[in-house]
Amino acid sequence: MKRANESANQNVSDAKKARYAQSMYADVYSQYGMMSQYATANPYTPAATTAFNGYAQPTASMYNMNYGGQNMMASQYGTPAAYSQAFVTPTASGFPTTVASTDVSRTIYLGNVPKDAEPHEILKYVKTGMVESFKIIPEKSCAFLAFVDPNAAQAFYHEFLQKKMSLHGTDIRIGWGKPTLVPNTVKHSIQGGATRNVYLGHLDASHTEDTIKNDLIRFGPIEQIKLIREKNIAFVHFLSVASAVKCVNALPTEPAWINRRVNYGKDHCQATMDNSSYGFNFQSPFSQNFTFDPYNQSQMMGQGYGMRTTPNAPSSCVLRTLYVGNIHPEASCEDLCNSIRGGNLLQIRYFPEKHIAFVTFMDGPTAVAVFNHANTHGLVVKGKRLRVGWGKPSTITTQISQAVQAGATRNIYIGGIDDNLTEEKLRSDFSVYGEIELVNFLKEKTCAFVNFTTVSAAINAINGIREKPEYATYKINYGKDRCGNPPKHTFREEKHGKVEQDEIKQED
């Protein structure tokens, strides 16, 4: 027997039957690989194991999104078998050792690459972290960009989801490549300072870019050579770290180079990012990695917040700070905190004369979620939409991190107040510990709240105020940070084919 829909279409020719076009949906659905970050704002839940240093990670589900039974990601990458659902698991050393189905790839897939494209034409767009290798496959019109750090891959992927990369008039498609481990030899070399850039010093007039290329091409493909004649130095960017390692190891032993200086230089892909759309500069935060196990207490304390677990332990930077620009001249720090929602703040720094602020959250995934919400729904203060971008990565000290885990926030609760306590006295007594954002005096409820601009100021205030005799009879503890409430939503409706903003709901 035939199904009803088959009977209805049996007289329709194949040319007229509607079909799902995989390639049409592939680009649309691939952008949702970052949506998992909205579920990982709290780094201390089992679901947060997919969160990684400030960016939510692509899970196996993003590689198996189906539409009508068709694999959407397969249309980007070819056959589904070529891209298995296996990912890299990072370790405390900053490099992966095992493969699991819930972790990330450090490799970016680039599609629609013109056959005559040169590597430097693509790599000049990369400013988020050190590149381990780059390979163009002209016959398949694609390329694979492998970073050393999966977080750098996340940052690059996230950046070019919002803006297009165009090459020779063709828009480049961005996706995820097959997860791979950093080779052990390369890993150890990188830990020793290796990059894919080779520095050459003490050169003479006989050295030109062509002669250097002809001599060094034997170690591997070269992206570019930059010769600075007035300083008699040159920088040779190979397409892989492995090629640069071979060059640095072999060149000093050769007679022609024995009196020259050969060392590693800085990968230009680690350069400072110029984000002119936000009017600020943001440096690549992905110079170091961390691993995170939500069930390991020491890792929760150390790596989840990017802090030092021991005095001599290496600090791990986490991208947790948002840049906020285009602030209304009459807006106050209180106005900003009334609009920011989605996660507890570590600190907020407001510069009224420059109309900008830097908002630092407790953890990276929360910052990513707030960033995406602000750029999707908008963040408005005093009727003016704010520009939201990324600030610099940061760490949290051991003292603050341990206090946060014990419940510390930037808000202090004072309960059981009487007529002897006034708002002015609270502001005067607490201001010696740091800048105050808001004092909320609720006499009818016999309590008050003092909101600082930093958690560290609140910690100092708690310790100091409790030692004062006049506050001995009051209940003093940490209160809830209102910025940790759910995000505010911008309500929109569609009229005559245009989406207009009707109302902005601001909830406390």
Side-chain angles (χ1 to χ4, degrees):
M1 294 179 66
K2 294 184 177 181
R3 297 178 182 177
N5 62 342
E6 292 177 349
S7 300
N9 296 327
Q10 61 183 346
N11 295 326
V12 182
S13 64
D14 290 343
K16 295 182 179 180
K17 289 182 180 179
R19 285 183 170 86
Y20 294 119
Q22 285 179 275
S23 60
M24 202 174 88
Y25 292 97
D27 292 335
V28 175
Y29 281 85
S30 63
Q31 64 180 308
Y32 293 101
M34 294 292 289
M35 295 301 289
S36 60
Q37 62 204 6
Y38 290 100
T40 59
N42 181 1
Y44 302 115
T45 61
T49 54
T50 57
F52 194 84
N53 207 17
Y55 284 88
Q57 306 306 321
T59 60
S61 60
M62 71 173 284
Y63 287 88
N64 193 29
M65 292 184 292
N66 295 326
Y67 190 95
Q70 302 293 332
N71 190 310
M72 298 304 159
M73 299 301 292
S75 64
Q76 290 192 41
Y77 302 120
T79 61
Y83 295 88
S84 60
Q85 299 175 9
F87 297 89
V88 184
T89 299
T91 65
S93 63
F95 291 94
T97 57
T98 58
V99 176
S101 62
T102 56
D103 293 321
V104 303
S105 171
R106 61 187 179 89
T107 303
I108 296 293
Y109 164 86
L110 304 172
N112 286 344
V113 177
K115 297 183 182 300
D116 57 344
E118 294 294 332
H120 183 65
E121 293 180 293
I122 296 176
L123 290 172
K124 68 182 181 181
Y125 287 99
V126 183
K127 300 295 180 184
T128 59
M130 191 167 75
V131 172
E132 188 262 320
S133 66
F134 178 77
K135 184 177 182 181
I136 294 181
I137 307 177
E139 61 273 15
K140 293 187 178 180
S141 299
C142 68
F144 291 93
L145 173 63
F147 289 88
V148 172
D149 188 346
N151 301 298
Q154 285 285 345
F156 181 85
Y157 178 83
H158 188 268
E159 177 185 356
F160 286 97
L161 278 182
Q162 302 180 48
K163 64 180 182 181
K164 291 192 178 293
M165 178 192 296
S166 183
L167 196 62
H168 299 180
T170 303
D171 289 339
I172 305 299
R173 289 190 305 175
I174 308 294
W176 290 102
K178 181 179 179 180
T180 58
L181 301 177
V182 178
N184 286 331
T185 54
V186 175
K187 176 182 68 174
H188 296 315
S189 298
I190 292 174
Q191 290 173 340
T195 69
R196 64 188 186 91
N197 181 21
V198 175
Y199 162 80
L200 303 175
H202 293 171
L203 303 180
D204 55 37
S206 65
H207 292 96
T208 65
E209 291 186 0
D210 290 336
T211 60
I212 293 174
K213 182 176 182 178
N214 293 335
D215 193 5
L216 303 190
I217 194 71
R218 55 196 163 105
F219 297 109
I222 295 174
E223 175 205 344
Q224 68 169 359
I225 298 176
K226 185 176 181 180
L227 177 63
I228 304 177
R229 178 59 65 190
E230 59 272 17
K231 294 185 178 181
N232 290 326
I233 62 174
F235 295 94
V236 182
H237 273 84
F238 287 90
L239 290 184
S240 70
V241 175
S243 298
V245 171
K246 292 178 183 178
C247 178
V248 171
N249 290 339
L251 219 55
T253 64
E254 299 180 3
W257 293 92
I258 198 168
N259 293 323
R260 317 293 179 192
R261 294 186 61 185
V262 181
N263 209 332
Y264 296 107
K266 180 181 178 181
D267 188 342
H268 69 76
C269 294
Q270 293 178 275
T272 300
M273 181 181 294
D274 179 16
N275 196 334
S276 58
S277 61
Y278 295 119
F280 74 106
N281 289 333
F282 131 55
Q283 292 183 348
S284 173
F286 304 106
S287 59
Q288 299 182 17
N289 304 1
F290 72 97
T291 178
F292 176 72
D293 179 359
Y295 305 105
N296 185 311
Q297 183 67 21
S298 64
Q299 287 185 342
M300 282 173 55
M301 292 168 47
Q303 296 161 346
Y305 284 111
M307 53 161 269
R308 299 175 187 266
T309 52
T310 61
N312 297 324
S315 178
S316 175
C317 284
V318 176
L319 189 61
R320 68 177 95 242
T321 301
L322 296 183
Y323 159 90
V324 181
N326 197 37
I327 300 175
H328 193 283
E330 298 179 0
S332 64
C333 190
E334 179 183 345
D335 294 324
L336 292 176
C337 292
N338 286 338
S339 298
I340 296 170
R341 292 294 183 269
N344 289 358
L345 302 187
L346 181 66
Q347 70 173 12
I348 177 170
R349 298 169 59 204
Y350 179 37
F351 302 92
E353 66 282 359
K354 296 182 179 180
H355 311 300
I356 64 172
F358 293 94
V359 182
T360 304
F361 292 88
M362 296 291 189
D363 58 86
T366 299
V368 174
V370 174
F371 172 84
N372 282 323
H373 186 272
N375 283 281
T376 302
H377 299 281
L379 189 62
V380 178
V381 173
K382 288 190 174 294
K384 194 170 184 179
R385 179 162 181 164
L386 307 180
R387 287 200 305 259
V388 180
W390 288 104
K392 292 182 179 180
S394 62
T395 61
I396 299 181
T397 64
T398 304
Q399 179 187 6
I400 294 177
S401 182
Q402 290 175 344
V404 167
Q405 293 175 62
T409 68
R410 64 185 186 90
N411 183 22
I412 294 180
Y413 164 81
I414 303 99
I417 62 176
D418 50 31
D419 294 337
N420 296 327
L421 201 61
T422 63
E423 181 176 342
E424 291 74 19
K425 179 173 174 56
L426 280 178
R427 189 177 294 275
S428 174
D429 291 347
F430 279 82
S431 61
V432 299
Y433 300 103
E435 182 182 356
I436 294 176
E437 175 250 319
L438 170 68
V439 175
N440 193 4
F441 196 83
L442 306 174
K443 188 173 182 180
E444 66 280 4
K445 295 185 178 181
T446 67
C447 68
F449 296 90
V450 179
N451 290 266
F452 288 90
T453 58
T454 67
V455 172
S456 60
I459 294 172
N460 294 333
I462 283 273
N463 296 333
I465 286 293
R466 284 175 175 172
E467 295 178 357
K468 292 188 175 183
E470 61 265 36
Y471 285 90
T473 59
Y474 303 130
K475 295 179 181 178
I476 300 176
N477 211 333
Y478 294 106
K480 181 181 178 181
D481 187 349
R482 68 186 187 279
C483 294
N485 291 335
K488 300 175 181 180
H489 299 284
T490 300
F491 294 93
R492 299 171 182 267
E493 71 176 7
E494 188 172 342
K495 294 182 179 180
H496 308 295
K498 295 182 179 179
V499 178
E500 300 177 354
Q501 179 173 313
D502 288 335
E503 178 185 359
I504 296 177
K505 182 180 179 182
Q506 297 190 352
E507 305 171 353
D508 288 332

